[in-house]
Amino acid sequence: MALKPISTDTRTRSSIQISIVVGLCCFFYILGAWQRSGFGKGDSIALEMTKHSADCSIVPTLNFETHHAGEVGNVDESEKPKSFEPCDPRYVDYTPCQDQSRAMTFPRDNMIYRERHCPREEEKLHCLVPAPNGYVTPFPWPKSRDYVPYANAPYKALTIEKAIQNWIQYEGNVFRFPGGGTQFPQGADKYIDQLAKVIPITNGMVRTALDTGCGVASWGAYLWSRNVIAMSFAPRDSHEAQVQFALERGVPAVIGVLGTIKMPYPSRVFDMAHCSRCLIPWGANDGMYMKEVDRVLRPGGYWVLSGPPINWRNNYRAWQRPKKELEEEQKKIEEVAKLLCWEKKHEKGEIAIWQKRVNDEACRSRQHNSQANFCKAEEANDVWYKKMDACLTPYPDVSNPEEVAGGKLKPFPERLYAVPPRVASGSVPGVSVETYQEDNEKWKKHVGAYKKINRLIDSGRYRNILDMNAGLGGFAAALDSPKLWVMNVMPTIAEKDTLGVIFERGLIGIYHDWCEAFSTYPRTYDLIHAHGLFSLYKDKCNLEDILLEMDRILRPEGAVIFRDEVDVLIKVKKITAGMRWDTKMVDHEDGPLVPEKILVAVKRYWVVGANSTSVQ
């Protein structure tokens, strides 16, 4: 059944001025009632206020308008804050470190031009990236998996180029995603069913997946219903907005490419890796890309390759490629897989599946292989801007042939709170079983407090959530819900590298330096959490730049939760006063004497060409 178009008439343009004694909890509740009510029917706010105001504590004179909540708390006006102007409209989809014009100045070999190339300090934009005209809050999950408002990513190229492959269709003022892909035009669900005949996808042992060259990430979107969370990536290339579409759908994704730099993930973290006609030359450069996949693949994990060159004998004419070339390509892949000691479990049609051995005991022969160049074990997680090497990442030592190198994981969801092997083995300095368990209890308490402040957190309103300084993943674990997912970021300057622990809990994450822009499109995240981030970076780079980056990647009417020392938050609050954000400082849940405070913020709704927060 076709989805009814979104009428612009439903977007009430007149403001509703409401002055009432109401609590911060009411502010978020009412905001949520509006945001869930059909893209801007602001008249429902007054009714919701009447229903729920009795539950609230006292904060005077909140002012609500049609598309945003008004001021929350008061800004000290003794010193007027710096005001940030909107960027030029051409920057609505600006991705600073994957800017197209800058990319074209770099070499094309090995996809160097598609890698991260960030602007110099003097090239940075110090303005607010606007939303496009007509921007609306995305549909809630699971509807968002199948429908994206056209106004949010108005690019039709894929509807033409991939028309027969069922990637995406344009219907009125929405895009529809039928779930197809180049290798699965009949739909991702049926394709995953084929994989599940070989890979134990349904028993919780396969939880984290990596999709290289993901397209619009339909594979990851359909894995979600099977309790598998996929980290999908694709370059920002001529197929405009692939990753943007994925994120609008509510599917985890980043802009990325297998080029010359290591992937920003720790070693031994993904249960499954996948390439469906992703156009990566797997056998080239001494199998360097397969070796990089091996680095991030957990012992016992699976690698899926579908499309060329698999089944080249029957398909070389359809692929319009020389038979000999495809034969040689598959031969190289098989040779590298043998060197990696992967066991081929399946090849049928155009799908081949390998499994990585659980330890190195069965691979002793490669120690004497002249081609077996081993990486340094201590550098396995040292990946930020580090060159990819055509070397083999060694397994952790084991005491018997049956032992899983690095430790065996529990099935998900049990693994979410089970002690991760990296903690149990003491391989993360400063993190013991006791400190891990204490951290979990602390974050259950913190998240409980957040839910009292912002009742929308587990309502379905927030789908894409970003934790900018994730620690042991306690925030994401305490939030765990089928309605949302969390991108756990491990700052490259963090004192402890715990990203491997986060993955062992069945969560996903990425390394990043917040002195640079994140590898994502604008308006990517519904909720951002920043715990201790500004204390961490206060002597490293300009806090203003980090806040402007947060504004770029936060959706209009998205929320931010800062948790930090009060003096740091006062500086943050002062900067945000000029960013079209409404903020409120809240005491720590243990009371006002605790120096750590919470600053909550909401980004107002405004679009291209709007000088105020109303739609033009």
Side-chain angles (χ1 to χ4, degrees):
M1 183 174 69
L3 195 72
K4 291 182 179 179
I6 305 165
S7 170
T8 54
D9 293 338
T10 67
R11 300 178 57 84
T12 308
R13 294 176 182 271
S14 62
S15 298
I16 301 172
Q17 298 295 328
I18 302 172
S19 296
I20 192 168
V21 177
V22 66
L24 183 61
C25 61
C26 282
F27 160 66
F28 280 113
Y29 195 98
I30 297 162
L31 177 62
W34 170 77
Q35 288 168 324
R36 294 192 300 271
S37 63
F39 303 123
K41 296 180 181 176
D43 294 332
S44 64
I45 291 177
L47 291 175
E48 291 297 331
M49 178 173 286
T50 302
K51 290 178 186 177
H52 300 286
S53 61
D55 295 336
C56 303
S57 17
I58 303 298
V59 173
T61 319
L62 288 183
N63 178 39
F64 294 90
E65 296 184 1
T66 305
H67 294 290
H68 70 283
E71 184 178 359
V72 184
N74 298 311
V75 176
D76 180 7
E77 297 183 357
S78 59
E79 184 180 345
K80 190 174 181 180
K82 176 181 177 180
S83 180
F84 296 92
E85 296 301 316
C87 303
D88 187 277
R90 70 178 183 272
Y91 292 112
V92 288
D93 289 326
Y94 184 51
T95 55
C97 297
Q98 287 88 11
D99 180 66
Q100 294 283 56
S101 58
R102 187 181 302 106
M104 300 310 293
T105 66
F106 288 87
R108 292 189 170 226
D109 53 309
N110 292 324
M111 297 294 282
I112 292 172
Y113 75 119
R114 293 298 182 202
E115 294 180 328
R116 286 177 58 85
H117 302 293
C118 298
R120 297 187 299 268
E121 191 63 35
E122 63 273 17
E123 297 175 320
K124 289 182 179 179
L125 298 181
H126 291 276
C127 52
L128 304 176
V129 174
N133 246 320
Y135 179 86
V136 293
T137 303
F139 296 106
W141 185 269
K143 184 182 285 188
S144 68
R145 185 192 71 180
D146 303 326
Y147 295 98
V148 165
Y150 170 75
N152 290 14
Y155 304 108
K156 295 182 182 178
L158 282 175
T159 66
I160 300 167
E161 186 169 344
K162 304 294 183 181
I164 64 171
Q165 296 168 7
N166 252 354
W167 276 35
I168 179 174
Q169 297 172 359
Y170 176 62
E171 299 178 355
N173 56 359
V174 298
F175 288 113
R176 185 168 72 87
F177 296 82
T182 306
Q183 279 304 125
F184 39 93
Q186 301 306 310
D189 251 344
K190 289 184 178 179
Y191 175 78
I192 293 168
D193 284 341
Q194 289 180 278
L195 302 184
K197 293 176 181 178
V198 182
I199 302 170
I201 289 174
T202 59
N203 67 2
M205 291 309 298
V206 172
R207 164 64 179 175
T208 56
L210 178 69
D211 193 11
T212 57
C214 65
V216 295
S218 286
W219 187 70
Y222 280 82
L223 277 172
W224 183 263
S225 63
R226 303 173 194 235
N227 223 7
V228 177
I229 184 167
M231 173 74 78
S232 301
F233 70 80
R236 178 164 186 167
D237 61 4
S238 57
H239 296 166
E240 188 68 56
Q242 291 181 95
V243 168
Q244 188 174 23
F245 279 133
L247 289 158
E248 285 295 315
R249 297 173 73 186
V251 182
V254 291
I255 303 171
V257 66
L258 274 174
T260 65
I261 304 298
K262 292 180 181 180
M263 290 188 285
Y265 314 112
S267 62
R268 299 182 286 108
V269 292
F270 290 102
D271 300 311
M272 174 169 55
H274 173 258
C275 162
S276 174
R277 204 161 186 172
C278 62
L279 305 180
I280 295 171
W282 293 110
N285 300 320
D286 294 323
M288 182 169 69
Y289 300 135
M290 288 178 68
K291 291 171 183 176
E292 177 65 357
V293 168
D294 180 74
R295 181 185 69 80
V296 301
L297 196 61
R298 184 166 291 127
Y302 296 86
W303 186 55
V304 180
L305 175 60
S306 64
I310 306 303
N311 200 19
W312 55 269
R313 289 180 179 86
N314 295 322
N315 290 325
Y316 70 93
R317 288 191 181 91
W319 292 335
Q320 298 180 342
R321 289 182 58 189
K323 187 176 181 180
K324 190 69 177 175
E325 179 183 292
L326 287 162
E327 180 182 14
E328 184 63 26
E329 188 176 321
Q330 177 149 359
K331 181 183 175 183
K332 286 182 179 179
I333 289 171
E334 301 283 3
E335 288 173 352
V336 177
K338 184 178 179 180
L339 182 63
L340 293 169
C341 221
W342 292 357
E343 180 183 2
K344 183 177 261 188
K345 307 294 287 188
H346 172 87
E347 182 174 336
K348 185 177 180 180
E350 296 175 20
I351 300 175
I353 301 173
W354 287 263
Q355 185 177 19
K356 182 175 177 177
R357 305 280 185 173
V358 297
N359 59 48
D360 209 14
E361 292 294 305
C363 305
R364 293 298 181 190
S365 60
R366 69 178 184 169
Q367 301 280 3
H368 307 291
N369 189 320
S370 60
Q371 294 180 319
N373 172 35
F374 284 86
C375 313
K376 295 178 181 178
E378 63 272 15
E379 295 179 356
N381 298 336
D382 185 14
V383 299
W384 188 245
Y385 284 123
K386 295 300 172 65
K387 288 288 185 182
M388 198 184 301
D389 295 316
C391 56
L392 308 180
T393 302
Y395 286 81
D397 293 333
V398 295
S399 57
N400 65 73
E402 306 301 320
E403 185 181 349
V404 177
K408 186 175 181 179
L409 294 176
K410 302 283 186 181
F412 193 85
E414 188 180 347
R415 74 169 69 165
L416 188 62
Y417 280 104
V419 177
R422 294 178 204 224
V423 174
S425 66
S427 60
V428 183
V431 180
S432 65
V433 173
E434 292 74 20
T435 57
Y436 168 75
Q437 292 171 337
E438 289 169 3
D439 188 77
N440 286 334
E441 293 307 309
K442 178 183 75 174
W443 281 106
K444 287 177 184 177
K445 180 180 177 180
H446 289 342
V447 169
Y450 293 161
K451 288 180 178 180
K452 290 178 182 177
I453 294 170
N454 182 346
R455 295 183 181 181
L456 299 182
I457 284 179
D458 195 25
S459 69
R461 167 66 184 87
Y462 302 131
R463 170 67 181 172
N464 304 355
I465 297 179
L466 177 69
D467 192 359
M468 299 177 73
N469 186 19
L472 293 167
F475 170 75
L479 274 181
D480 182 57
S481 166
K483 300 174 186 175
L484 56 85
W485 61 271
V486 179
M487 179 70 79
N488 294 280
V489 178
M490 179 59 50
T492 55
I493 65 169
E495 182 183 348
K496 298 184 183 75
D497 177 6
T498 52
L499 190 53
V501 171
I502 289 170
F503 273 95
E504 288 183 342
R505 303 185 71 166
L507 305 168
I508 58 168
I510 194 168
Y511 291 111
H512 184 66
D513 182 357
W514 287 110
C515 290
E516 298 181 356
F518 198 56
S519 290
T520 194
Y521 281 83
R523 303 170 300 281
T524 292
Y525 289 95
D526 306 300
L527 175 67
I528 296 177
H529 180 246
H531 170 234
L533 184 82
F534 289 88
S535 288
L536 180 67
Y537 275 94
K538 64 181 178 181
D539 298 321
K540 301 296 187 295
C541 51
N542 193 335
L543 301 190
E544 181 181 293
D545 288 345
I546 299 176
L547 286 163
L548 287 172
E549 174 62 3
M550 293 172 71
D551 182 81
R552 183 184 75 88
I553 65 181
L554 183 65
R555 292 193 188 279
E557 294 158 333
V560 183
I561 301 173
F562 301 91
R563 178 180 286 269
D564 218 314
E565 297 297 311
V566 64
D567 59 330
V568 174
L569 292 184
I570 289 171
K571 294 177 183 177
V572 169
K573 183 176 173 70
K574 182 178 177 181
I575 297 172
T576 60
M579 290 174 54
R580 305 189 184 200
W581 289 14
D582 295 316
T583 61
K584 174 67 180 180
M585 193 86 79
V586 180
D587 282 327
H588 189 282
E589 55 267 21
D590 289 340
L593 298 181
V594 181
E596 184 178 82
K597 304 293 180 184
I598 302 166
L599 180 67
V600 292
V602 173
K603 177 180 175 178
R604 300 175 196 165
Y605 180 96
W606 62 279
V607 299
V608 164
N611 292 321
S612 68
T613 53
S614 61
V615 175
Q616 300 299 299

